[in-house]
């Protein structure tokens, strides 16, 4: 089984090819870029380079895995469109990987509670709470858009060691360590594991594929979790327009 995995849900653009053969899993190739370029500039060239370097015939892959949100609205649309286009062109199924589950899988095997956090702006984080039983990821609390204070309260209720990762760490680290979870046993993933990696998305996708968790390219949709800023601003304008007492 061979899977092409994509993730452009955050600041990082990442592409990988993973496979399972004779019970052994391995990453064939991974290309990750965290630089000041848009995903529309990087994702397809990265994919093209990996295909060339591995001499891969895309018709030989079994499925396409995409980190499907939450995350950057623009990034999710680019990743979704790329995955859908490939799926339709190649007639391959898609594997819908929640962004935060894929990110949590970077820390596969840890005994700590894993809490990936992405900066959702406006004082909120996209977060999920997970644990591992061996290499099996279990969802303690599913993906949510939540204030960092509420997230801290949820984590404190478990009374366990917690490890954080994701692009929300630089934003919320001080608040977590000095106020919200001060004195608690918390840690942060090292730099090589703290951002999205397509190899992790692909490794989790292998398990999803075996469990039959696939979808058609036509049915694939990103999980935004909340309205975009443009949609929120439009709704606020409409509410003000409908309110006769608004100034």
């Amino acid at each position: 089984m061979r899977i092409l995995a994509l993730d452009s849900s955050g600041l990082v653009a990442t592409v990988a090819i993973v496979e399972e053969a004779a019970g052994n899993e391995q990453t064939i190739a991974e290309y990750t870029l965290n630089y000041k370029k848009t995903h529309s500039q990087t994702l397809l060239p990265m994919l093209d380079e990996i295909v060339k370097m591995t001499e891969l015939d895309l018709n030989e892959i079994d499925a396409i895995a995409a980190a499907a949100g939450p995350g950057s609205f623009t990034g999710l649309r680019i990743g979704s469109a790329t995955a859908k286009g490939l799926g339709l062109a190649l007639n391959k199924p898609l594997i819908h990987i929640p962004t935060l589950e894929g990110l949590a899988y970077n820390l596969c095997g840890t005994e700590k509670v894993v809490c990936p956090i992405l900066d959702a702006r406006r004082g909120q984080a996209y977060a999920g709470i997970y644990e591992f039983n061996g290499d099996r990821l279990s969802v303690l609390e599913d993906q949510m858009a939540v204030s960092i204070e509420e997230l801290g309260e949820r984590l404190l209720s478990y009374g366990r060691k917690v490890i954080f990762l994701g692009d929300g760490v630089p934003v919320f680290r001080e608040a977590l360590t000095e106020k919200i979870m001060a004195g608690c046993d918390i840690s942060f993933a090292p730099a090589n594991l703290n951002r999205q990696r397509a190899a992790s998305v692909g490794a989790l996708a292998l398990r999803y594929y075996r469990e039959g968790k696939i979808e058609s390219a036509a049915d694939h949709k990103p999980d935004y979790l909340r309205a975009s800023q443009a949609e929120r601003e439009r709704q606020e304008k409409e509410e003000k327009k409908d309110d006769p007492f608004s100034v």
Side-chain angles (χ1 to χ4, degrees):
M1 178 172 26
R2 184 171 289 182
I3 291 175
L4 171 66
L6 311 170
D7 191 338
S8 59
S9 60
L11 299 175
V12 171
T14 177
V15 181
I17 299 166
V18 299
E19 72 172 16
E20 180 182 41
N24 296 315
E25 298 177 11
Q26 64 175 332
T27 299
I28 302 299
E30 184 178 31
Y31 193 157
T32 300
L33 188 64
N34 183 13
Y35 193 66
K36 298 178 181 179
K37 290 187 178 181
T38 65
H39 295 326
S40 60
Q41 293 175 295
T42 59
L43 196 62
L44 285 175
M46 291 164 63
L47 171 59
D48 185 55
E49 186 65 21
I50 275 187
V51 169
K52 288 179 181 177
M53 292 294 290
T54 59
E55 300 177 342
L56 175 68
D57 180 351
L58 284 174
N59 288 294
E60 295 177 354
I61 65 173
D62 295 287
I64 300 158
S72 157
F73 285 81
T74 301
L76 287 173
R77 291 187 182 109
I78 292 168
S80 176
T82 302
K84 285 170 72 75
L86 288 168
L88 291 169
L90 299 170
N91 193 27
K92 301 293 182 181
L94 266 60
I95 304 173
H96 183 116
I97 301 294
T99 294
L100 295 168
E101 289 186 27
L103 186 53
Y105 212 76
N106 286 4
L107 303 179
C108 180
T110 182
E111 296 181 354
K112 299 177 181 180
V113 169
V114 179
C115 184
I117 50 176
L118 304 177
D119 183 14
R121 312 294 182 187
R122 294 193 171 193
Q124 285 194 320
Y126 294 127
I129 303 175
Y130 308 94
E131 68 177 357
F132 283 95
N133 297 303
D135 65 353
R136 184 171 185 82
L137 179 69
S138 297
V139 179
L140 297 177
E141 298 195 36
D142 207 357
Q143 300 186 137
M144 54 189 148
V146 64
S147 71
I148 199 65
E149 291 80 12
E150 182 181 342
L151 177 62
E153 291 175 3
R154 291 172 182 251
L155 290 166
L156 287 169
S157 70
Y158 290 95
R160 295 172 57 187
K161 297 178 181 180
V162 179
I163 184 166
F164 294 94
L165 72 164
D167 66 30
V169 168
V171 179
F172 300 112
R173 183 169 186 156
E174 182 177 345
L176 287 167
T177 55
E178 297 185 8
K179 297 178 182 177
I180 298 168
M181 300 188 73
C184 299
D185 195 341
I186 64 174
S187 57
F188 301 89
N192 60 310
L193 296 174
N194 72 355
R195 297 295 172 90
Q196 285 95 324
R197 291 189 59 186
S200 295
V201 172
L204 185 56
L206 289 172
R207 286 148 182 76
Y208 272 47
Y209 190 89
R210 288 196 296 267
E211 296 169 4
K213 296 179 181 179
I214 60 175
E215 62 185 2
S216 69
D219 290 337
H220 175 75
K221 294 179 181 178
D223 295 326
Y224 295 116
L225 286 193
R226 67 179 193 182
S228 68
Q229 182 176 346
E231 291 169 330
R232 292 195 301 270
E233 289 175 351
R234 182 168 61 250
Q235 183 177 357
E236 289 171 2
K237 288 180 181 179
E238 290 175 353
E239 290 174 352
K240 288 181 179 179
K241 183 174 64 177
D242 294 336
D243 183 356
F245 300 102
S246 64
V247 178

